């Protein structure tokens, strides 16, 4: 898929087919997150890849918006060390956002759907994934082939018109 097509095709997928993701494709998707930029090349983030059905079902309970994880072929947990420094926390969040988007686009490029979730029950998520204390699992990304329809460029997005969103030179009230 062309980069633009991957961007235009990406959508949140919450229902997955039972088909497994080939290891090479899952590796490529995670590598995209690893390759994502990191402020000052700090690379605080870690990724935990889960394909075990029991773990996926348990992960689906760590947040009310994580139910789709149970039906995914895989999940990727994004983890950073805890910090009391607000600046570091903000930078880590930005870095996680970049890694997340790289993962989502890489998956779409392969025709694989994704759906993200927060993590509410950190203790349970750490227990399921074996993540040590002193780390936060900020996000889970469900990964799998869409159950309803394949990914393809979306012709009519449910978005504000680009003319309302993009300002040139300075802010314009509309």
């Amino acid at each position: 898929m062309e980069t633009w097509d991957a961007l235009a095709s990406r959508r949140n997928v919450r229902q997955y087919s039972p088909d497994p993701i080939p290891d090479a494709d899952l590796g490529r998707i995670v590598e995209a997150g690893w390759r994502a930029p990191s402020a000052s090349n700090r690379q605080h983030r870690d990724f935990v890849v889960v394909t075990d059905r029991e773990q996926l079902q348990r992960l689906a309970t760590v947040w009310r918006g994580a139910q789709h994880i149970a039906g995914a072929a895989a999940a990727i947990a994004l983890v950073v060390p805890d910090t009391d420094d607000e600046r570091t926390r903000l930078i880590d969040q930005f870095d996680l956002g970049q890694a997340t988007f790289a993962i989502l686009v890489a998956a779409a490029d392969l025709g694989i759907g994704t759906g993200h979730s927060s993590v509410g029950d950190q203790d349970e998520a750490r227990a399921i994934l074996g993540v040590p204390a002193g780390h936060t699992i900020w996000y889970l990304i469900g990964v799998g082939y869409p159950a309803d329809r394949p990914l393809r460029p979306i012709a009519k997005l449910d978005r504000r018109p680009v003319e309302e969103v993009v300002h040139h030179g300075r802010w314009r009230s509309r």
Side-chain angles (χ1 to χ4, degrees):
M1 193 180 286
E2 293 291 322
T3 303
W4 186 256
D5 289 339
L7 289 167
S9 299
R10 206 219 68 76
R11 60 182 167 88
N12 286 333
V13 174
R14 304 277 187 217
Q15 299 287 323
Y16 304 97
S17 80
D19 301 328
I21 307 278
D23 290 342
D25 289 351
L26 190 54
R28 184 176 178 129
I29 292 165
V30 176
E31 184 178 338
W34 172 78
R35 287 180 174 273
S38 174
S40 301
N41 201 28
R42 293 169 336 144
Q43 304 176 54
H44 283 180
R45 62 198 173 217
D46 285 276
F47 308 98
V48 180
V49 180
V50 178
T51 57
D52 177 77
R53 182 63 43 211
E54 181 182 325
Q55 276 183 290
L56 292 168
Q57 289 171 351
R58 290 179 60 204
L59 282 173
T61 69
V62 301
W63 181 248
R64 65 178 177 244
Q67 296 86 3
H68 67 283
I69 300 295
I76 303 167
L78 287 78
V79 183
V80 293
D82 293 340
T83 181
D84 290 330
D85 180 57
E86 183 63 22
R87 183 175 188 278
T88 298
R89 188 176 355 312
L90 288 172
I91 291 170
D92 285 346
Q93 286 296 299
F94 186 78
D95 285 356
L96 288 174
Q98 293 186 97
T100 298
F101 195 65
I103 287 168
L104 303 182
V105 172
D109 182 58
L110 296 167
I112 297 169
T114 53
H116 58 280
S117 172
S118 294
V119 177
D121 189 339
Q122 286 293 318
D123 291 335
E124 180 66 11
R126 278 193 289 271
I128 294 166
L129 299 173
V131 172
H135 291 76
T136 297
I137 304 158
W138 278 100
Y139 307 107
L140 298 173
I141 302 172
V143 181
Y145 294 102
D148 57 351
R149 65 189 189 281
L151 296 181
R152 63 177 145 266
I154 301 166
K156 186 175 178 179
L157 282 176
D158 183 18
R159 299 279 189 275
R160 291 172 40 209
V162 69
E163 302 81 28
E164 288 183 17
V165 177
V166 178
H167 305 264
H168 295 274
R170 56 185 289 127
W171 184 270
R172 271 188 352 170
S173 296
R174 299 191 197 338

